[in-house]
Amino acid sequence: MRPAVRDEFESLYFDYPHFEAPDRPAVEPLRPVAVVGAGPVGMIAALTLAHHGVRSVLLDDKATFNDGSRAICISRSSYHILDSLGLTQPCLEKSLGWTTGRSFYRGQQILEFAMPDGPNEKFRPMYNLQQQYIEQFLWNAVADSDLIEARWQSKVVGLVDDGSSVRLAITDPSGRYELPAKWVIAADGARSAIRKSCGLRLKGENYEGRYVIADVQMRHDFPTIRRALFDPASRPGGTVLIHRQPDDIWRIDYQLRDDESAEDAVREENVRAAVSRVLRDIDYDGDWDLEWWSVYSANTLLLDDYRKGRVFFAGDSAHIVPIFGVRGLNNGIADGHNIGWKLAAVLKGSAEDALLDSYTPERRGATLDVFANASKSTRFMTPPSHGWRVMRDAALSLALTRESAGRLANPRQMTPYTYADSPATGPDDPGISRGPVPGAMLQDVALDSGFLSDRLGRGFTLLVFGNGPKPEKAGLAVVALPATWAAADIYGAGDGTAYLIRPDLHIAARWRRATEEGIRQCMNTILAREEEIV
């Protein structure tokens, strides 16, 4: 929602483009992949496919980007994904990096936490950037790609999966038509039309706590940190979250009381009054303007299976996660990247279809891990019952005098999930005592020039230390490092140690002393093929 004096997409700081529906061919050819939903997750999926040389058609029923800040926090792991696709530069130039969070109870600070950071990290733990900019920067890359055909104002209203392809029924301003594709990635959001057409529904818990999101523009010199206010004067008994964003935009999330209706809470005059009280809480008495606002509740919902036939679900079409710990967008970006490289491998002939069976256990497993952590944060931020509230408030009161109690207010920020039990994860070697285990995300390391992540190939990469094997014609890139470098110590490596790294930057397998035959066998197992495909 926007103030009454402005139009629907009239922003204080962002110019929303308008996309026309494209001209269509008289006969639609069979597409390798149709991606439904041109939000961040859908565009990441399409860009990942293009990165690996696979064409796709990208469909969205809107005529512009999503409005409002929505998802604003991009994690280090997501920046590594963006970097692997060559997409970080505009994001880094615009976003605000941060490492620190502070929590306050009744105006007194009870916690300051710092996320892990250091000279071996190419990116900061977290960056704040409004979702419009994320979509704009991704869209610029989509528009520049010869392998992605984008169709705006194109609404999917049904589908038929015949086992060998999917026929999407689509309506646009010119009428209704059908588009056939070998595979479909559904990234069409929480109200997914694809999910509905497949007869599926999300399952899980709905939390009672409701929040208003309000974006305000103001010049304020407070640093870029995450602030949480518990039981502040502005919202007695409630919780307020505050994030700084580019263009002097500040995101304020404030909890509604049980006796406040959402309908009344989102009236402009009530939003302005609530924001004014919050700003007084942080000792700001300068000018400000209201940009945009919305309302949401915290839910933990997901599909039983992220695949149905030839359709894969990613992002909010597959799961809804609480915002606490900034996991929603970051989880979705990992979804799109994961299914993107796997579909590309199958379509390019380097892997068999069975590789796709690893998508649900990996990404649904990641969602369940998110739930386990985010639910703890949600119960603390938004107590689901009187008993939870009593315990939460008792902990907060104790935190005024005991530092250890303040740690309960830590939101447990998003961390990459480890695919330990995935069929696309190979063996571990008990002879390696340090370093990322198979299934974990790559640990970046500063090298003599740049970072380890800068040297990875587009597909699988073999990281070799010392005189380890450097197999030729194995369908992978090789990065060789001396066993005497500091990177070897971080990876617990000796002469001959090797790590196999997947295209999504997760460790596939590792060996204390690797052999070419062991590497080839592992590649064949992960890619579900009987013998090496050269």
Side-chain angles (χ1 to χ4, degrees):
M1 301 179 185
R2 294 191 188 280
V5 296
R6 298 207 302 274
D7 293 334
E8 181 182 3
F9 292 103
E10 186 181 350
S11 170
L12 294 172
Y13 67 97
F14 186 84
D15 293 327
Y16 286 89
H18 178 83
F19 301 110
E20 299 291 345
D23 294 332
R24 297 189 265 106
V27 178
E28 295 285 357
L30 178 67
R31 312 305 174 100
V33 184
V35 182
V36 183
V41 177
M43 285 194 276
I44 285 289
L47 288 164
T48 301
L49 289 164
H51 185 71
H52 294 285
V54 173
R55 293 183 177 276
S56 67
V57 57
L58 180 65
L59 305 160
D60 200 287
D61 60 358
K62 303 188 304 301
T64 190
F65 305 137
N66 288 291
D67 65 324
S69 66
R70 298 180 185 265
I72 64 167
C73 297
I74 313 176
S75 68
R76 173 184 287 143
S77 57
S78 291
Y79 261 76
H80 274 295
I81 290 173
L82 293 171
D83 197 39
S84 72
L85 300 175
L87 303 172
T88 49
Q89 192 57 40
C91 295
L92 285 172
E93 291 174 355
K94 191 68 179 178
S95 61
L96 303 176
W98 58 281
T99 62
T100 304
R102 295 175 188 165
S103 296
F104 300 82
Y105 177 55
R106 294 179 178 173
Q108 182 174 330
Q109 183 172 316
I110 58 170
L111 170 71
E112 178 168 326
F113 67 85
M115 293 176 286
D117 201 20
N120 281 316
E121 300 291 357
K122 184 176 183 179
F123 302 111
R124 303 287 67 75
M126 206 69 66
Y127 294 84
N128 284 355
L129 183 64
Q130 296 96 314
Q131 184 166 322
Q132 307 100 308
Y133 283 120
I134 300 169
E135 295 188 19
Q136 178 70 71
F137 299 150
L138 293 177
W139 167 250
N140 291 345
V142 167
D144 286 343
S145 175
D146 294 332
L147 297 177
I148 306 173
E149 176 191 355
R151 295 188 180 184
W152 296 89
Q153 300 188 48
S154 300
K155 182 178 182 179
V156 176
V157 294
L159 64 84
V160 175
D161 183 343
D162 65 11
S164 61
S165 66
V166 180
R167 298 192 68 84
L168 295 173
I170 302 168
T171 61
D172 68 9
S174 299
R176 181 182 173 116
Y177 67 100
E178 288 190 347
L179 187 149
K182 290 182 180 179
W183 303 96
V184 171
I185 298 175
D188 51 342
R191 296 180 177 86
S192 171
I194 298 292
R195 190 176 64 231
K196 183 178 180 181
S197 294
C198 290
L200 303 175
R201 66 182 184 88
L202 301 175
K203 301 177 183 177
E205 290 187 72
N206 295 288
Y207 290 86
E208 292 299 322
R210 299 158 300 149
Y211 282 76
V212 169
I213 305 171
D215 285 351
V216 302
Q217 189 173 57
M218 62 182 182
R219 293 189 178 276
H220 189 23
D221 59 2
F222 200 85
T224 306
I225 64 172
R226 176 258 194 201
R227 278 184 287 181
L229 315 180
F230 295 99
D231 196 14
S234 58
R235 307 293 300 177
T239 303
V240 176
L241 304 175
I242 304 173
H243 278 278
R244 183 179 189 171
Q245 303 176 77
D247 300 319
D248 292 323
I249 298 294
W250 294 77
R251 162 79 167 265
I252 299 173
D253 298 34
Y254 57 88
Q255 185 180 1
L256 298 181
R257 300 187 309 271
D258 292 342
D259 62 351
E260 288 182 283
S261 72
E263 182 180 2
D264 287 338
V266 296
R267 296 184 190 278
E268 182 177 341
E269 63 272 21
N270 292 335
V271 174
R272 288 185 179 277
V275 168
S276 292
R277 291 192 294 270
V278 170
L279 295 181
R280 285 197 294 271
D281 264 345
I282 61 173
D283 296 324
Y284 179 80
D285 58 4
D287 295 333
W288 62 276
D289 202 351
L290 184 59
E291 157 70 4
W292 172 89
W293 67 93
S294 184
V295 64
Y296 71 88
S297 59
N299 300 304
T300 51
L301 305 168
L302 78 169
L303 290 172
D304 291 332
D305 195 327
Y306 286 8
R307 175 183 184 180
K308 185 171 184 181
R310 303 185 78 80
V311 178
F312 296 89
F313 295 88
D316 286 353
S317 69
H319 49 72
I320 305 293
V321 306
I323 67 159
F324 311 116
V326 297
R327 297 169 171 90
L329 173 63
N330 296 297
N331 207 37
I333 286 174
D335 290 347
H337 197 224
N338 187 293
I339 191 56
W341 80 261
K342 290 174 180 175
L343 274 177
V346 170
L347 287 163
K348 298 288 282 188
S350 62
E352 299 296 336
D353 286 9
L355 170 64
L356 304 175
D357 294 338
S358 65
Y359 176 65
T360 287
E362 289 188 353
R363 296 311 307 155
R364 191 173 188 274
T367 304
L368 291 172
D369 183 65
V370 164
F371 286 0
N373 288 286
S375 294
K376 297 173 185 176
S377 298
T378 301
R379 290 189 178 97
F380 198 87
M381 296 286 187
T382 310
S385 67
H386 175 71
W388 274 101
R389 182 174 294 280
V390 169
M391 288 190 291
R392 194 279 302 269
D393 291 349
L396 289 171
S397 296
L398 191 61
L400 294 172
T401 55
R402 292 192 183 183
E403 181 180 347
S404 59
R407 297 182 191 133
L408 294 171
N410 192 322
R412 303 175 180 86
Q413 303 292 343
M414 183 265 181
T415 56
Y417 181 62
T418 297
Y419 306 139
D421 300 319
S422 168
T425 295
D428 195 7
D429 189 325
I432 303 177
S433 59
R434 294 187 303 282
V437 300
M441 196 166 187
L442 172 84
Q443 169 61 58
D444 211 1
V445 181
L447 303 179
D448 58 337
S449 175
F451 292 82
L452 172 60
S453 59
D454 298 331
R455 304 193 183 186
L456 303 182
R458 284 179 178 255
F460 280 79
T461 299
L462 186 70
L463 172 61
V464 178
F465 292 91
N467 294 315
K470 302 171 181 63
E472 299 180 357
K473 298 181 180 180
L476 49 76
V478 177
V479 174
L481 298 179
T484 56
W485 280 18
D489 184 60
I490 292 172
Y491 274 74
D495 190 47
T497 296
Y499 281 72
L500 182 62
I501 304 167
R502 304 186 337 179
D504 59 2
L505 312 181
H506 283 255
I507 305 300
R510 61 182 184 172
W511 300 268
R512 176 63 185 82
R513 293 196 65 83
T515 65
E516 290 194 23
E517 180 62 22
I519 294 166
R520 289 194 176 93
Q521 287 181 358
C522 181
M523 287 280 289
N524 289 340
T525 299
I526 288 172
L527 297 174
R529 62 194 188 192
E530 293 183 3
E531 58 185 24
E532 180 184 339
I533 301 172
V534 179

